Amino acid sequence: MNFWIIAAAGATLVTVLLIRALWRGAAVQAPSRVEQDVQVYRDQLAEVEREVARGVLSSEDAARAKTEISRRILAADKGRTADVQTGRAPSKALMAVIALALIGGSLFMYSRLGAPGYGDLALKDRIAFAKTLRETRPSQADAVAGIPQASVGAELSAEYETLLTRLRETVATRPDDVQGQTLLAQNEARIGNYAAAAEAQSAVVRLKGADASTEEVVNYAELLIMAAGGYVSPEAEAVLRAVLTRDAENGTASYYWGLMLIQTGRPDQGFRIWDGLLRRGPADAPWIEPILGQIEPVADLAGVDYTIPEIGTGTRQSDLPGPSQDDIEAAQDMTPAARMEMIGAMVDGLSERLATEGGPAEDWARLISSLGVLGQTDRAQAIYDNAMDVFAGDPASTDMIARAGEKANLIK
């Protein structure tokens, strides 16, 4: 309600000022024809004086000219009237139309372009809201149940359908057969039956345990997401976390992790991940095309004036230069001044990269530790706070950053 009161008051104030300006402009006195003539005659008298001074006009001629001009001034002055010439004031109907157009037009435009009833949220409140949204979002089972059932395998050949039925029956009688579960997951996914494929792939990962490859775990996460219609459920998030713990730069898992952040109210974090994937490439990676189709509106949500970079021009984050612990220890043989200069240059390069391109938690932790070594506690504290916001909701990353903060003697 406060917003509408302020908006209406602002529109009314602008309307009053405009109408007042029109009204005052109409009341300004305009010089009469007589006054204009008198001013012309006075200018002629001044011109006569200048010509006499230059020697162009004789005294006798000047006297006659002045006499004639003075006679004309007296004649004009006799015809002066006290009438005030004014402009035409705007009518009341016109002023009403102006007021209606300004106030009504403003409210109409806001109703079309704005978000009536949607209050503003401070950054802290938005982050808290996103956290609540992430913690209370629907489960995998609820998401799958809410998707309309589509006909699966309607166009299968009779031979293929017979083979698939036999495979299902065989796996049902031999649930611990890894090879059978793998084949079932592949074939169910091929016909679009993603829920059944995810269930079979879950069995593959469970049966293999620690021997399950990263690719097999990623496939399981992707099948869960596809079964839920592109929604990243808490169960899919847990699988993605397991993948990223093994391989922090896995492209497929990183893409879906960014998607999960966007779906749960953190487009700023999701944008950083997707932008990093574009820069890293390669151009034919399977996640590049879906990112290109979505990243611009995500950038708008993140408040970034974004231009899509050249794909694949970056490098893997782990390959980018930055001060590691070995670098710092190797600098012990240098003079104190040279050592600090070398570390400072490396820290500045890492800091600039993280600010512009982002990076994994390992790089943020390395930067915080390095700033602690350099004694730049205030700068380390600011980067620590930023990193904790960036990786909020990722316990493994926040733990790593917290340990770096302890090494840098930060108080939190």
Side-chain angles (χ1 to χ4, degrees):
M1 189 63 187
N2 290 336
F3 168 79
W4 291 108
I5 294 174
I6 295 172
T12 302
L13 177 61
V14 172
T15 303
V16 170
L17 291 176
L18 286 176
I19 292 177
R20 183 170 176 266
L22 290 173
W23 189 272
R24 290 184 62 185
V28 174
Q29 293 185 2
S32 66
R33 177 64 182 274
V34 173
E35 290 175 337
Q36 294 176 357
D37 292 343
V38 170
Q39 184 60 44
V40 171
Y41 298 148
R42 287 173 179 169
D43 291 339
Q44 290 177 347
L45 283 175
E47 182 64 24
V48 169
E49 292 292 345
R50 288 193 291 270
E51 290 182 351
V52 171
R54 295 198 304 268
V56 176
L57 195 64
S58 64
S59 300
E60 294 79 6
D61 292 338
R64 286 194 295 271
K66 289 181 179 180
T67 300
E68 177 62 22
I69 295 172
S70 298
R71 184 186 63 77
R72 294 179 180 179
I73 291 176
L74 290 173
D77 191 59
K78 289 179 181 179
R80 186 192 300 269
T81 63
D83 296 337
V84 177
Q85 296 183 10
T86 62
R88 184 179 179 183
S91 65
K92 294 182 178 179
L94 177 59
M95 290 188 289
V97 170
I98 293 174
L100 181 62
L102 289 174
I103 299 176
S106 300
L107 297 177
F108 174 76
M109 289 180 65
Y110 179 76
S111 67
R112 290 300 184 93
L113 303 177
Y118 188 80
D120 190 20
L121 291 176
L123 178 60
K124 182 179 180 181
D125 295 331
R126 294 180 188 180
I127 293 174
F129 175 77
K131 182 179 179 181
T132 302
L133 179 64
R134 184 170 174 177
E135 292 173 348
T136 59
R137 68 190 194 275
S139 66
Q140 178 73 20
D142 292 338
V144 173
I147 297 177
Q149 296 295 324
S151 59
V152 177
E155 299 180 357
L156 295 179
S157 65
E159 182 181 2
Y160 186 83
E161 188 172 0
T162 300
L163 291 174
L164 183 56
T165 300
R166 290 178 182 175
L167 177 60
R168 289 169 177 165
E169 293 172 351
T170 300
V171 171
T173 59
R174 299 163 56 186
D176 294 336
D177 183 359
V178 175
Q179 186 64 28
Q181 295 284 9
T182 301
L183 290 173
L184 181 60
Q186 293 172 351
N187 284 277
E188 294 286 15
R190 187 173 294 126
I191 65 173
N193 191 6
Y194 297 116
E199 184 178 355
Q201 190 66 20
S202 172
V204 172
V205 173
R206 175 178 53 81
L207 292 171
K208 286 193 172 184
D211 294 331
S213 67
T214 301
E215 183 179 0
E216 289 171 329
V217 182
V218 169
N219 288 341
Y220 176 40
E222 189 168 30
L223 289 170
L224 285 172
I225 295 167
M226 295 177 74
Y231 163 70
V232 185
S233 67
E235 291 82 355
E237 177 188 345
V239 180
L240 292 173
R241 188 189 302 277
V243 174
L244 293 172
T245 300
R246 292 186 180 189
D247 179 8
E249 295 184 349
N250 185 278
T252 302
S254 296
Y255 165 72
Y256 285 120
W257 190 266
L259 180 63
M260 180 271 296
L261 291 170
I262 295 166
Q263 291 176 348
T264 55
R266 292 308 304 267
D268 53 331
Q269 296 179 353
F271 166 75
R272 291 192 190 101
I273 293 174
W274 282 7
D275 178 61
L277 289 173
L278 287 181
R279 295 177 187 276
R280 194 177 78 193
D284 59 351
W287 52 83
I288 295 297
E289 186 174 349
I291 290 178
L292 289 176
Q294 305 173 78
I295 194 168
E296 289 184 324
V298 171
D300 291 339
L301 292 173
V304 178
D305 185 8
Y306 186 62
T307 300
I308 294 178
E310 186 175 350
I311 299 172
T313 55
T315 57
R316 292 176 65 86
Q317 299 288 354
S318 58
D319 295 334
L320 293 171
S324 64
Q325 190 63 34
D326 293 338
D327 295 326
I328 296 174
E329 292 176 357
Q332 299 301 318
D333 296 333
M334 299 180 178
T335 63
R339 180 167 60 250
M340 298 304 287
E341 183 179 357
M342 183 202 76
I343 296 175
M346 299 172 75
V347 166
D348 289 340
L350 178 59
S351 177
E352 182 178 357
R353 173 170 62 79
L354 292 179
T356 57
E357 300 180 13
E362 293 86 347
D363 285 358
W364 289 85
R366 189 194 312 173
L367 177 58
I368 294 168
S369 299
S370 301
L371 289 172
V373 172
L374 293 173
Q376 300 182 21
T377 307
D378 292 342
R379 187 178 172 191
Q381 184 70 64
I383 293 175
Y384 173 89
D385 294 338
N386 188 18
M388 294 300 281
D389 287 339
V390 169
F391 294 98
D394 185 350
S397 296
T398 53
D399 288 346
M400 183 185 304
I401 294 168
R403 289 194 297 272
E406 292 175 0
K407 292 180 180 178
N409 295 321
L410 302 181
I411 302 174
K412 270 292 172 184

